[in-house]
Amino acid sequence: MLLPFLSSSSSSSSSSSPSSSFLLFGILLFPCLASSQFWETADPAFTLASGGDTLIVRGYFPTLNYTCSLLPTGSQQSAIACQVLGTQQTQTELRYTVPPWPLAAQEATVQITDASTRKVLRGPGGASERITIMPVWSSKSATAGASTGGTAQGSQTFTVNGLGFDRDSSNYVCKFVRYEASSPTADIAQNLPFQPMNNAELVCSTPTWTFEGSTDDYAGKAILLIEKGGQVVVYQGASLGNQYFFSTVWKISQSTAYSSPGQTITVQGYGFGTLRDQYLCSFESTSLTVQSKAMSVSSSELHCVLPGWSTKAQTVDLVLYKIKCRDSNYQVYNCTTQVKLQGTQNVRTSFQFLTSIHNFSKFSSYAADSQPSVLTVYGGGLNSVKFSLSPSKLQMSLAL
């Protein structure tokens, strides 16, 4: 049955145009639509705690005056307001900027409110009303060690800065994944971090880097991964800001030895190369420098055979050099480039040569009153020899 204003019973109504009839119908219907404003979808379903994504809400919005809030579902905390993109609002689509998330990462319920009436709009209900906030990290800062690198010995700490960390959880892992162009293995070292200090900071402690040394100047280059519950926390920072460099570190097992050649000292450390790299032990003083090759036993031990020390016994500087013999593809090339490796304490490493006498001989004797015999003493680290002669006695003293 036709509505009265659409009836054709009178001649005047029969002359009415179709457009005027539909307009009148729309006027009657509009109050009903206006009272049924709603939203039905929100994108994206996942967003980072750093914020900045555009949240698109679709539905019916006749007044174009609406606010957006994200309600934490994991706690009784206040809603986080979105920022409206005022120039991009229509009656079927609203756009907002997702704010930085100052809480632990979690699901959040989208709430759209009519700013004029303060009435919360009806949504699709259930999981369709929620978006997932994911944790993110963006930088490292030094605490007890460098933020870009530290020694292969490990046990140095640095702070990871980000958003969305759960300070009530200890289910975090700091992983250091070996990253070189032609690394023969996919080595991973990891340490559990401390429990996050707050929602924006957690502390990582570096592991011992026990792998074979790098082809470059350092012991190893790694990519830092932060995981929570087996899920990787997204890195959103400067290019290469997630790299970490381990430097070779070493110390000697003994600090003294006799000046005669052939003794072996052990150099202990982390990050030594074992694939055709060579090392030099260099004993350096102001008047003399002698060097000997060191044999790599493992990534944590070298053996250095002492050279002969041809001047007086003294304390010298022991310096360890790496001779780079490999390119980035682990191919042997020109073994000439030397890289000085710092000791454990990053200070001067002292080594003391001691005087030694290891042999002596004398020529045939003469008559008691004739030319005295000659005694030859062999050793190392001798300063000078003094003789005292008498008709019946030969005295020799060594000045050490």
Side-chain angles (χ1 to χ4, degrees):
M1 180 178 178
L2 294 175
L3 293 175
F5 61 83
L6 296 178
S7 173
S8 57
S9 59
S10 66
S11 58
S12 60
S13 62
S14 62
S15 62
S16 300
S17 65
S19 61
S20 62
S21 299
F22 284 114
L23 177 62
L24 183 58
F25 180 77
I27 292 173
L28 294 175
L29 186 62
F30 178 78
C32 179
L33 292 175
S35 63
S36 302
Q37 49 192 340
F38 63 93
W39 68 275
E40 57 185 9
T41 63
D43 293 313
F46 299 87
T47 187
L48 297 178
S50 53
D53 286 344
T54 298
L55 178 65
I56 303 175
V57 181
R58 297 181 178 88
Y60 178 64
F61 316 103
T63 67
L64 298 181
N65 187 18
Y66 301 89
T67 61
C68 166
S69 298
L70 301 179
L71 304 178
T73 57
S75 60
Q76 300 297 320
Q77 294 179 305
S78 302
I80 309 298
C82 308
Q83 181 180 357
V84 64
L85 296 175
T87 60
Q88 301 184 35
Q89 311 301 311
T90 69
Q91 289 187 334
T92 59
E93 186 177 281
L94 303 177
R95 296 194 174 211
Y96 302 91
T97 300
V98 177
W101 189 253
L103 310 174
Q106 58 188 283
E107 285 190 334
T109 300
V110 178
Q111 181 175 282
I112 304 299
T113 305
D114 187 325
S116 301
T117 63
R118 296 186 179 179
K119 179 181 178 180
V120 177
L121 272 62
R122 175 173 56 86
S128 298
E129 289 191 355
R130 296 193 292 270
I131 64 174
T132 300
I133 312 294
M134 300 183 297
V136 62
W137 71 280
S138 57
S139 64
K140 310 184 298 294
S141 58
T143 51
S147 61
T148 56
T151 69
Q153 188 174 5
S155 299
Q156 294 179 292
T157 58
F158 57 87
T159 301
V160 173
N161 307 295
L163 285 172
F165 298 140
D166 186 357
R167 63 183 179 182
D168 296 323
S169 173
S170 58
N171 195 19
Y172 288 88
V173 174
C174 297
K175 284 188 175 181
F176 299 81
V177 182
R178 187 176 182 184
Y179 177 72
E180 294 183 56
S182 300
S183 176
T185 56
D187 299 316
I188 297 177
Q190 64 184 50
N191 259 5
L192 296 177
F194 302 105
Q195 192 165 329
M197 297 182 288
N198 50 56
N199 298 125
E201 294 177 313
L202 62 81
V203 175
C204 283
S205 177
T206 60
T208 299
W209 191 255
T210 59
F211 309 120
E212 190 268 333
S214 167
T215 60
D216 216 318
D217 299 353
Y218 37 76
K221 177 173 68 174
I223 294 294
L224 174 63
L225 296 181
I226 308 297
E227 291 186 0
K228 182 181 187 297
Q231 299 296 316
V232 175
V233 176
V234 175
Y235 172 70
Q236 192 183 53
S239 176
L240 306 182
N242 58 343
Q243 290 187 351
Y244 194 88
F245 296 89
F246 289 94
S247 58
T248 303
V249 61
W250 62 275
K251 63 181 180 180
I252 52 177
S253 59
Q254 64 189 79
S255 59
T256 61
Y258 290 109
S259 301
S260 54
Q263 298 178 81
T264 299
I265 62 171
T266 299
V267 180
Q268 300 167 330
Y270 301 92
F272 295 136
T274 57
L275 294 178
R276 298 174 180 159
D277 277 335
Q278 299 179 13
Y279 292 85
L280 282 180
C281 291
S282 183
F283 301 87
E284 303 177 358
S285 71
T286 56
S287 59
L288 180 66
T289 293
V290 294
Q291 296 180 330
S292 64
K293 288 185 178 181
M295 181 178 66
S296 179
V297 179
S298 68
S299 62
S300 60
E301 185 174 317
L302 301 177
H303 287 173
C304 184
V305 178
L306 290 180
W309 187 251
S310 59
T311 186
K312 66 180 181 180
Q314 59 185 287
T315 299
V316 301
D317 289 336
L318 174 57
V319 181
L320 185 64
Y321 292 96
K322 175 182 179 180
I323 305 176
K324 294 168 60 177
C325 294
R326 296 176 292 163
D327 58 20
S328 60
N329 294 318
Y330 282 78
Q331 299 298 313
V332 176
Y333 68 113
N334 186 8
C335 297
T336 57
T337 305
Q338 293 187 5
V339 180
K340 184 177 180 179
L341 303 177
Q342 295 288 353
T344 302
Q345 304 300 322
N346 201 26
V347 295
R348 176 174 178 254
T349 300
S350 299
F351 187 85
Q352 185 178 17
F353 280 105
L354 304 176
T355 301
S356 62
I357 299 176
H358 53 82
N359 194 11
F360 67 90
S361 65
K362 67 175 183 176
F363 295 104
S364 299
S365 299
Y366 291 89
D369 56 353
S370 65
Q371 184 177 353
S373 301
V374 177
L375 179 66
T376 304
V377 177
Y378 299 94
L382 303 176
N383 188 5
S384 62
V385 181
K386 296 180 180 179
F387 293 94
S388 177
L389 302 177
S390 71
S392 61
K393 181 172 63 175
L394 169 63
Q395 290 182 330
M396 179 182 69
S397 61
L398 303 178
L400 306 179

